[in-house]
């Protein structure tokens, strides 16, 4: 790869870092070709982009970017793969599910909405994060709950009241 190709790749990586608020650094070394293909298929189905990158080129893209990625520099050792997704927890769920049958991939680090998570011990935390749409749904459900309770109480009260009035009328 010549210098122009490397510079273009660094620019492409920098652009991807700018466009994505969520990305993961993972180690997929040691996977067989079959396991690697299986992981890539799962990522594709879940709309997660998986790309193996050279650490030196990724470091140069980090340096070129406006965001301070110094915390992630220590994670750039050994094999590194970038996982991009619109959903903050999708790559973590994929890694967690894939590791039920395999030893890898290992989570090296992640950037989720400007927050850094370093190390594989953060995987369960990241997998349990709720997406923006899930949080909005939870809030709507919580807001609707009191109104539904009032309406159902009023409806059940009117049924009980009309039953009592009817019983009293029949008694006389």
């Amino acid at each position: 790869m010549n210098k122009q190709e490397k510079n273009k790749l660094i620019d492409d990586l920098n652009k991807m870092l700018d466009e994505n608020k969520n990305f993961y650094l993972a180690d997929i070394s040691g996977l067989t070709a079959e396991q690697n293909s299986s992981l890539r298929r799962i990522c594709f189905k879940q709309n997660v982009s998986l790309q193996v990158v050279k650490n030196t080129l990724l470091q140069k893209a980090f340096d070129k970017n406006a965001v301070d990625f110094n915390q992630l520099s220590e994670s750039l050792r050994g094999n590194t793969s970038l996982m991009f997704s619109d959903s903050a927890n999708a790559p973590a769920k994929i890694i967690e599910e894939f590791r039920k049958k395999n030893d890898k991939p290992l989570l090296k680090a992640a950037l989720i909405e400007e927050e850094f998570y370093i190390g594989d011990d953060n995987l369960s935390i990241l997998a349990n994060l709720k997406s923006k749409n899930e949080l909005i749904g939870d809030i709507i459900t919580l807001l609707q709950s009191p109104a539904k309770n009032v309406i159902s109480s009023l409806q059940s009260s009117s049924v009980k009241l009309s039953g009592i009035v009817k019983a009293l009328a029949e008694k006389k």
Side-chain angles (χ1 to χ4, degrees):
M1 185 182 299
N2 65 30
K3 190 168 185 150
Q4 288 177 336
E5 292 171 334
K6 287 181 183 179
N7 286 336
K8 182 177 179 348
L9 187 56
I10 291 168
D11 290 339
D12 291 344
L13 286 171
N14 187 34
K15 184 178 177 186
M16 282 191 270
L17 294 173
D18 282 337
E19 292 173 351
N20 293 283
K21 295 178 184 177
N22 309 314
F23 70 86
Y24 287 64
L25 299 177
D27 179 5
I28 63 170
S29 65
L31 293 179
T32 64
E34 183 180 327
Q35 292 169 330
N36 197 332
S37 293
S38 175
L39 178 62
R40 288 179 183 277
R41 262 187 252 109
I42 293 168
C43 288
F44 181 77
K45 287 178 185 175
Q46 299 292 324
N47 293 323
V48 174
S49 169
L50 176 67
Q51 181 179 354
V52 177
V53 294
K54 285 192 68 148
N55 291 329
T56 53
L57 297 179
L58 184 56
Q59 181 62 55
K60 288 180 180 180
F62 283 167
D63 294 340
K64 195 173 188 179
N65 199 287
V67 177
D68 182 16
F69 290 112
N70 286 335
Q71 294 181 19
L72 298 180
S73 294
E74 287 295 317
S75 302
L76 298 179
R77 306 268 187 268
N79 186 306
T80 303
S81 299
L82 271 170
M83 298 176 85
F84 291 106
S85 174
D86 291 334
S87 172
N89 64 356
K93 286 183 177 181
I94 290 171
I95 292 171
E96 201 172 54
E97 186 65 30
F98 198 78
R99 285 199 1 209
K100 288 181 180 177
K101 297 179 184 175
N102 304 288
D103 294 338
K104 297 225 175 162
L106 297 175
L107 176 67
K108 292 175 141 189
L111 175 71
I112 309 297
E113 299 287 337
E114 301 176 9
E115 185 70 34
F116 293 100
Y117 298 87
I118 310 294
D120 195 56
D121 54 330
N122 289 307
L123 184 62
S124 61
I125 294 168
L126 293 169
N128 292 324
L129 283 177
K130 291 192 175 191
S131 70
K132 182 179 178 181
N133 290 338
E134 290 171 329
L135 288 173
I136 290 170
D138 288 350
I139 291 170
I140 290 171
T141 302
L142 288 171
L143 291 174
Q144 287 178 339
S145 186
K148 285 182 180 178
N149 290 340
V150 169
I151 291 169
S152 69
S153 294
L154 290 173
Q155 287 174 339
S156 67
S157 298
S158 66
V159 170
K160 288 179 188 175
L161 185 61
S162 66
I164 292 170
V165 170
K166 186 177 179 183
L168 289 173
E170 290 174 357
K171 198 174 188 181
K172 291 184 176 183

